[in-house]
Amino acid sequence: MKKIIFLPVISLLFFFSACKSHNTDAGPDKIDSKVDSVLNLMTLDEKIGQMVIYTSDWDVTGPTLKSNYIDDIRKGNCGNIFNAHTTAYVRKLQKIAVEESRLGIPLLFGYDVIHGHKTIFPISLGESASWDLEAIEKSARVSAVEAAASGLNWTFAPMCDISVEPRWGRVSEGAGEDPYLGSKIAAARVHGFQGDNNDLSDSLTILACVKHFAAYGAPIAGRDYNTVDMSKRVFLDAYLPPYKSAIDAGAMSVMTSFNELDGVPATANKYLMTDLLRNQLGFKGFVVTDYTAINELVNHGVAANEAEAGLLAVKAGVDMDMQGEVYFKYLKKQVESGQVDEKLIDEAVRRILKVKFMLGLFDDPYKYCNAEREKRLVYAPEHLQAALDVAKKSMVLLKNANNTLPLEKGEKIAVIGELANSKRDLLGSWKAAGDWDFMKSILDEIKTYNGENNVLYSEGCKMMGDDRSGFAAAIATARKAQKIIMVIGESCDWSGEAASRTNIQVPGVQTELLEKLRALGKPVVVVLMNGRPLDLTREDQTADAILEAWFPGTMGGKAVTQVLFGEYNPSGKLTMTFPRNVGQVPIFYYEKNTGRPIYLPNDKYKSKYIDCPNTPLYPFGYGLSYTTFEYSDITLSSNTLKENGKIEATVTVKNTGSRDGDEVVECYVRDLVGSITRPVKELKGFEKIKLKAGESKPVIFTITPDMLAFHQLDMSYGTEPGDYKLFIGTSSADVKETSFKLE
Ligand code: NOJ
């Protein structure tokens, strides 16, 4: 191939005629042969260029920037760009790649479209609390449409990292602690980004990226980027399922994680990237590193220098170097000296080119660069409507003593807190291209709904710091009102990447002011904005009602208002356990029983704390409604589950209140005796149902043996006969119970 030296123009013509008509002729074999026809034209430098991605200087999402990326595109040394968007800018860069590089191979354009591109949805942890897979898929779909309309063809999402670590700021980007729910949500997000049929050639779908592979959500002590150390069984049973589910759903790219697993950093981990991902899970797309993750192998201490780090990564099966310049600097020499077999490079480039063909970029490199379409689709009214819908569904009512909520229209309300008047914070971390100037704050929306004259505002205090000078004014304001709403929580940059905390209480003096307001004897409602489970013990003791609003996105102000005033009956449920204090962390519902469980009759010698209950403040799956639901006992179609058989478990759920409402019905099992110890509960199904006031509905869960499989003593994956418990209820801690036998 090196012998073929084309003049640029001739090569371009030849090249495009070799690659055209992918859409009409898109079978895998056809694409493979087109990929090979391109590969045959490429020099080693050009191949390595495809294995490189640089950030543009439009957005900063990591520690390094590169000023000469445009020149690298022109020279064929950079085949992919991230953090560049808008049709105008993408077109400009794509034009350089297509018209000025020797072979004219189009660029991929990636971006962290995590919970929206322009129209921002609630943070992913918040969305997961909706337990509404259709709404979550819709959120990803809208995000993809807006991203694609703005020139992008690749998102670095979904994040599929299970986490039981509220100290870790990145729990805000995931779907919480549960492998089953996490898997369903991971698949829904992939379908949303890549479209129902994974038709990447559709110009309104974008490539999904499963991240961060693997086990990034379990850093020791919750400190971002820290070491991960877990048993292989826990990894396979609890952490792997959402990644697997996203890959099974058709995601065509995967990002390596920053952490090590069992002593081997993910970016150098052949077991993860080749044996597991490709050989066992059958992944057919390409692997990109996280930001400078190859370089960081030197800091990890598995490579003496960057050249060695690059060798480890390429041999592990890592196809694309994000921002590190390691492949660019060293791979060519390593191939020429025989340290790296060129076949490895060819394989990596094949995988990357294949995705470019699937996206249809060779047919039309500017297919995402239609300025008219961008104008029409970005912030389209139906997108804002979808964001409002998901934001309402994601909110979790944590407390509602004496039916303090909903508020009545026209009541005199005091609104207190810096967050009540903040627009930027509504968007949360990873706000992508979302802007907040035109948005409305919670305060704005409450005024619009309740009438300007019925709403009094005082900031009271900032989110951070210990300045109490605004307390007196806030108290004076609250005295004039019938009810008090205080919006408290974390600022938007207190969760997300590099935002770990050791203290997970509400920061600053916000809670102190809340306590002073409570002393006025008027009903106090807390609206929370935060990106992680917090220790809300003081707030729970103080407020009459608590609404967890997360960072609810572009339409967050309106969503909070509609929930507070009962225009929408809250239906969200927690997908991460909220501890009583940070000392309980990690705390999650699928714990093991231990040999000395808390229920033993003796007082001392059992697994417990001497200063705190074992139970969390708010358990996984918990969330209240403005109505009430009653569960019947469970009936089983049989008490015996046979191999290849099934059992139907039925409960009847009744809305016993006076308002219509939605309820998430949750189904758990427990394997009582195993070859290894088994969790006390594992989620195996859920259904979100709508019930009118007074209405009853049966909900049926079908239990099959494959749902009970796990990695057994000898690490084989399968089921073990014996006795099981089955639970159905409104949260992991409030269930009806029955039992069955697996034969
Ligand atoms: C680092 C983050 O870990 C990752 O999630 C993100 O996609 C990349 N930076 C690119 O911004």
Side-chain angles (χ1 to χ4, degrees):
M1 138 236 39
K2 279 165 236 103
K3 57 189 159 25
I4 307 172
I5 301 172
F6 291 99
L7 291 170
V9 175
I10 296 172
S11 68
L12 270 173
L13 289 175
F14 181 85
F15 175 67
F16 277 107
S17 63
C19 308
K20 282 271 182 200
S21 73
H22 146 68
N23 286 343
T24 48
D25 205 2
D29 296 348
K30 291 285 176 341
I31 288 189
D32 287 348
S33 67
K34 287 173 184 176
V35 165
D36 279 336
S37 72
V38 178
L39 196 68
N40 286 335
L41 300 174
M42 297 173 80
T43 63
L44 181 55
D45 282 320
E46 284 162 340
K47 291 179 190 172
I48 294 168
Q50 289 302 304
M51 298 170 71
V52 164
I53 181 165
Y54 294 133
T55 178
S56 92
D57 39 16
W58 267 41
D59 208 345
V60 182
T61 59
T64 61
L65 280 181
K66 201 170 183 306
S67 51
N68 55 343
Y69 61 92
I70 294 198
D71 208 36
D72 285 322
I73 297 172
R74 190 172 284 124
K75 288 185 186 144
N77 288 336
C78 166
N80 314 282
I81 288 287
F82 68 115
N83 292 343
H85 55 91
T86 71
T87 52
Y89 192 52
V90 167
R91 179 179 283 278
K92 179 181 152 194
L93 298 181
Q94 192 69 294
K95 198 160 184 285
I96 295 169
V98 170
E99 294 185 15
E100 298 182 39
S101 75
R102 189 183 78 96
L103 286 178
I105 300 177
L107 301 164
L108 286 178
F109 286 91
Y111 198 39
D112 288 286
V113 178
I114 309 295
H115 55 112
H117 178 61
K118 290 295 262 186
T119 300
I120 302 300
F121 287 74
I123 55 165
S124 305
L125 182 64
E127 274 192 4
S128 71
S130 72
W131 296 60
D132 187 329
L133 298 175
E134 224 175 278
I136 292 170
E137 181 171 335
K138 173 90 183 184
S139 152
R141 186 86 280 280
V142 168
S143 307
V145 166
E146 291 199 354
S150 302
L152 295 161
N153 43 43
W154 184 17
T155 176
F156 301 138
M159 181 178 110
C160 301
D161 303 317
I162 289 294
S163 188
V164 295
E165 246 311 343
R167 291 173 292 185
W168 188 54
R170 302 201 77 171
V171 294
S172 61
E173 299 171 48
E177 72 190 39
D178 186 65
Y180 176 83
L181 179 62
S183 300
K184 296 279 177 200
I185 290 176
R189 290 199 167 126
V190 171
H191 290 140
F193 291 132
Q194 297 197 165
D196 285 341
N197 308 316
N198 280 317
D199 181 5
L200 290 177
S201 73
D202 179 336
S203 64
L204 287 176
T205 60
I206 57 177
L207 171 65
C209 183
V210 180
K211 73 183 191 187
H212 306 81
F213 199 66
Y216 181 42
I220 290 177
R223 205 179 68 220
D224 205 2
Y225 317 126
N226 201 6
T227 306
V228 172
D229 193 10
M230 66 174 64
S231 72
K232 188 158 183 190
R233 198 186 320 272
V234 166
F235 171 62
L236 294 177
D237 282 341
Y239 285 75
L240 185 63
Y243 305 117
K244 177 179 183 314
S245 168
I247 289 158
D248 290 346
M252 286 299 283
S253 73
V254 164
M255 186 185 289
T256 69
S257 56
F258 286 125
N259 57 283
E260 67 170 71
L261 186 61
D262 196 16
V264 186
T267 307
N269 199 318
K270 184 164 178 296
Y271 161 70
L272 284 179
M273 301 308 154
T274 300
D275 304 348
L276 179 60
L277 185 63
R278 297 210 166 90
N279 298 345
Q280 287 178 44
L281 301 184
F283 174 61
K284 297 277 184 278
F286 69 85
V287 173
V288 62
T289 71
D290 204 338
Y291 212 108
T292 57
I294 300 181
N295 316 59
E296 291 165 26
L297 296 176
V298 177
N299 295 340
H300 274 288
V302 292
N305 50 47
E306 288 186 349
E308 255 183 58
L311 268 185
L312 289 175
V314 81
K315 290 188 175 176
V318 172
D319 303 314
M320 195 185 284
D321 173 4
M322 181 187 280
Q323 195 62 16
E325 296 186 67
V326 176
Y327 283 178
F328 167 68
K329 284 186 192 151
Y330 305 105
L331 258 188
K332 186 178 180 193
K333 279 200 197 104
Q334 288 166 337
V335 171
E336 287 169 350
S337 67
Q339 281 176 288
V340 174
D341 187 340
E342 190 164 349
K343 281 193 192 131
L344 263 189
I345 309 292
D346 287 350
E347 269 319 298
V349 177
R350 263 196 196 99
R351 293 193 275 252
I352 295 163
L353 291 178
K354 177 173 159 184
V355 170
K356 292 189 176 186
F357 270 104
M358 290 172 81
L359 285 163
L361 284 170
F362 287 104
D363 285 339
D364 178 4
Y366 304 108
K367 59 187 285 199
Y368 303 94
C369 297
N370 177 334
E372 178 281 319
R373 192 178 77 156
E374 179 177 33
K375 210 164 160 212
R376 181 164 40 87
L377 291 178
V378 162
Y379 290 134
E382 63 271 26
H383 296 175
L384 294 169
Q385 191 53 44
L388 175 63
D389 178 62
V390 182
K392 288 187 286 192
K393 288 177 170 163
S394 71
M395 289 183 196
V396 184
L397 184 62
L398 296 175
K399 181 176 179 187
N400 196 18
N402 310 315
N403 293 324
T404 305
L405 288 176
L407 304 170
E408 270 177 41
K409 197 170 183 168
E411 287 184 300
K412 192 118 197 125
I413 309 282
V415 178
I416 313 287
E418 185 190 7
L419 276 170
N421 202 17
S422 166
K423 297 177 186 176
R424 166 67 186 93
D425 288 291
L426 286 168
L427 299 182
S429 79
W430 295 117
K431 59 159 193 49
D435 28 41
W436 55 91
D437 285 345
F438 79 98
M439 279 169 49
K440 299 253 190 318
S441 67
I442 294 176
L443 176 64
D444 296 333
E445 293 286 5
I446 292 181
K447 281 185 176 166
T448 307
Y449 183 89
N450 200 38
E452 189 96 22
N453 294 336
N454 297 323
V455 182
L456 308 166
Y457 175 68
S458 182
E459 184 180 84
C461 62
K462 298 283 181 202
M463 278 174 272
M464 319 293 293
D466 57 3
D467 182 359
R468 296 170 176 81
S469 59
F471 277 22
I475 292 166
T477 302
R479 274 191 214 286
K480 294 183 217 147
Q482 291 164 270
K483 287 187 181 161
I484 303 162
I485 299 174
M486 187 165 179
V487 186
I488 61 176
E490 303 177 305
S491 69
C492 59
D493 49 10
W494 264 41
S495 58
E497 189 175 352
S500 295
R501 296 183 62 190
T502 57
N503 171 348
I504 54 169
Q505 292 173 331
V506 173
V509 290
Q510 299 175 93
T511 305
E512 197 180 313
L513 176 57
L514 175 73
E515 286 164 347
K516 296 211 179 314
L517 296 170
R518 181 78 192 92
L520 297 177
K522 303 184 184 211
V524 178
V525 175
V526 160
V527 175
L528 273 170
M529 278 166 61
N530 51 300
R532 54 155 62 74
L534 291 174
D535 160 0
L536 297 173
T537 298
R538 269 172 79 189
E539 293 72 15
D540 186 73
Q541 283 160 2
T542 309
D544 297 284
I546 304 180
L547 179 68
E548 173 58 86
W550 313 106
F551 294 111
T554 305
M555 300 301 285
K558 191 173 221 154
V560 167
T561 305
Q562 293 193 353
V563 174
L564 288 177
F565 285 91
E567 296 287 335
Y568 180 84
N569 188 354
S571 61
K573 297 204 174 173
L574 298 178
T575 57
M576 272 190 91
T577 304
F578 274 44
R580 292 174 193 274
N581 64 54
V582 75
Q584 289 184 312
V585 169
I587 179 168
F588 49 99
Y589 83 91
Y590 50 93
E591 64 180 3
K592 304 289 186 70
N593 203 38
T594 80
R596 293 189 170 187
I598 185 93
Y599 53 73
L600 290 180
N602 79 77
D603 279 341
K604 185 172 168 67
Y605 297 102
K606 49 192 184 182
S607 180
K608 67 175 177 65
Y609 301 101
I610 53 175
D611 59 354
C612 178
N614 281 11
T615 54
L617 185 63
Y618 304 124
F620 174 87
Y622 168 81
L624 302 171
S625 161
Y626 295 153
T627 188
T628 44
F629 300 102
E630 203 175 85
Y631 282 66
S632 72
D633 287 336
I634 306 169
T635 54
L636 291 184
S637 58
S638 164
N639 289 95
T640 315
L641 179 56
K642 296 193 183 340
E643 207 189 330
N644 302 322
K646 61 177 186 184
I647 288 182
E648 289 190 339
T650 309
V651 284
T652 301
V653 185
K654 181 169 186 198
N655 181 342
T656 48
S658 54
R659 279 173 184 266
D660 300 352
D662 297 352
E663 166 73 341
V664 179
V665 183
E666 303 163 30
C667 176
Y668 300 86
V669 297
R670 175 173 178 186
D671 180 358
L672 288 176
V673 181
S675 60
I676 56 155
T677 60
R678 307 287 292 126
V680 294
K681 275 196 188 95
E682 290 179 287
L683 185 72
K684 294 296 174 189
F686 63 90
E687 204 175 317
K688 192 163 187 175
I689 55 169
K690 290 188 175 306
L691 285 176
K692 296 209 172 305
E695 191 187 4
S696 298
K697 261 188 200 163
V699 179
I700 303 171
F701 293 100
T702 303
I703 311 294
T704 50
D706 57 296
M707 294 162 82
L708 309 174
F710 62 101
H711 287 88
Q712 301 164 49
L713 187 60
D714 61 359
M715 289 306 281
S716 62
Y717 187 73
T719 55
E720 292 179 355
D723 290 325
Y724 287 75
K725 278 192 176 171
L726 186 139
F727 314 89
I728 301 178
T730 188
S731 87
S732 62
D734 184 358
V735 287
K736 297 282 183 181
E737 169 180 334
T738 185
S739 47
F740 68 91
K741 207 179 251 313
L742 176 66
E743 281 191 349

